Amino acid sequence: MRIILLGAPGAGKGTQAQFLMAKFGIPQISTGDMLRAAISAGTELGKQAKAVMDAGQLVSDDLIIGLVKERIAQDDCKGGFLLDGFPRTIPQADAMKENGVVVDSVIEFDVPDEVIVERMAGRRVHAGSGRVYHVTYNPPKVEGKDDETGEDLSIRPDDEEVTVRKRLGVYHEQTKPLVDYYQAEAKSGTCQYLTIDGTQPVEQVSALLAEKLN
Ligand code: ADP
Ligand code: ADP
Ligand code: ADP
């Protein structure tokens, strides 16, 4: 199963990725998590990406395409994968196509901007695993700690409201065109396209996915 998760920042991609990974036994490829790992490790890539990410802008297509290309070539992706946060621009989608990377399903999470702003304000993340929580909607068992490791949760620097609003602007401008792009692909029979109402509770969104994915 090869899946693309499409949706605004905070739409619930990472949260549902955890569910889908377990359900289908496929790895999550989160470009955001990969970039944050590079920042923590202090690599050259991380240094280049940090300022761009903190400003709520997109990292260059070339850099991201190279990163995903390398990741998809690894053995654990042979049986499928879950793309979370990639592609985010038309050139990224074109690069994937040119390279013969096909997908079975594209899932779009539909969530209004005002809901997103509220979600981001309460988002807490476990940097090591990519697990995400929300202080109200999806709280950890112990406040401020990851359920599985007990390690501290953190707040992403780009989740501050002004930056979130900037990221939403970038989403509408640069990523939203992928909705038409993949709907056209689905019409020509290359993949399945699903639009999911992402405003429902986490478990209901998961249930919808389980029901509709084929
Ligand atoms: P969210 O989960 O809130 O949508 P991500 O973790 O996916 O955010 O991405 C965080 C940041 O990393 C983005 O704002 C952007 O700067 C960078 N980034 C992640 N994926 C991409 C991508 N495919 N293309 C360009 N930049 C990306
Ligand atoms: P290769 O080096 O394997 O022959 P190409 O140079 O033909 O690949 O790749 C064509 C374009 O597609 C390049 O811009 C490349 O970076 C990009 N690309 C390759 N693989 C992927 C991938 N898995 N995801 C996104 N872009 C990719
Ligand atoms: P994305 O990966 O699309 O940026 P996340 O999965 O990180 O989104 O979710 C953003 C925030 O919203 C997190 O705090 C998460 O716990 C919360 N969240 C995710 N899905 C839902 C949902 N269906 N209802 C309420 N909150 C949610």
Side-chain angles (χ1 to χ4, degrees), residues 5-18 28 30 36 84-85 88 109 111 115-116 118-125 130-139 156 159 167 197-206:
L5 303 181
L6 195 62
K13 302 181 297 296
T15 300
Q16 297 304 328
Q18 295 292 329
Q28 171 195 23
S30 161
R36 282 184 288 277
D84 169 6
R88 241 181 172 95
F109 294 92
V111 179
V115 176
I116 298 279
E118 192 195 345
R119 280 189 185 177
M120 301 303 233
R123 172 154 71 179
R124 300 293 182 270
V125 297
R131 277 186 288 276
V132 282
Y133 301 88
H134 188 282
V135 291
T136 313
Y137 306 126
N138 187 23
R156 277 173 44 178
D159 276 353
R167 289 162 64 202
D197 175 3
T199 61
Q200 301 179 65
V202 172
E203 291 73 21
Q204 281 182 37
V205 176
S206 299

Side-chain angles (χ1 to χ4, degrees), residues 34-50 67:
M34 289 161 84
L35 293 169
R36 282 184 288 277
I39 292 174
S40 305
T43 65
E44 198 46 49
L45 168 78
K47 281 178 196 148
Q48 277 182 44
K50 185 173 177 10
L67 201 67

Side-chain angles (χ1 to χ4, degrees), residues 65 68-69 72 86 92 95-96 98-99 101:
I65 288 166
V68 173
K69 185 175 171 177
I72 281 184
F86 178 95
Q92 290 178 16
M96 218 168 81
E98 279 160 28
N99 213 62
V101 180

Side-chain angles (χ1 to χ4, degrees), residues 4 20 24 28 33 35 40-41 52 66 77 82 103 105 107 123 127 131-132 147 154 157 161 170 195 211:
I4 291 176
L20 293 169
F24 294 109
Q28 171 195 23
D33 286 348
L35 293 169
S40 305
V52 179
C77 292
L82 196 56
V103 295
S105 300
I107 304 165
R123 172 154 71 179
R131 277 186 288 276
V132 282
D147 286 354
S154 56
E161 184 170 338
V170 169
T195 305
E211 181 195 316

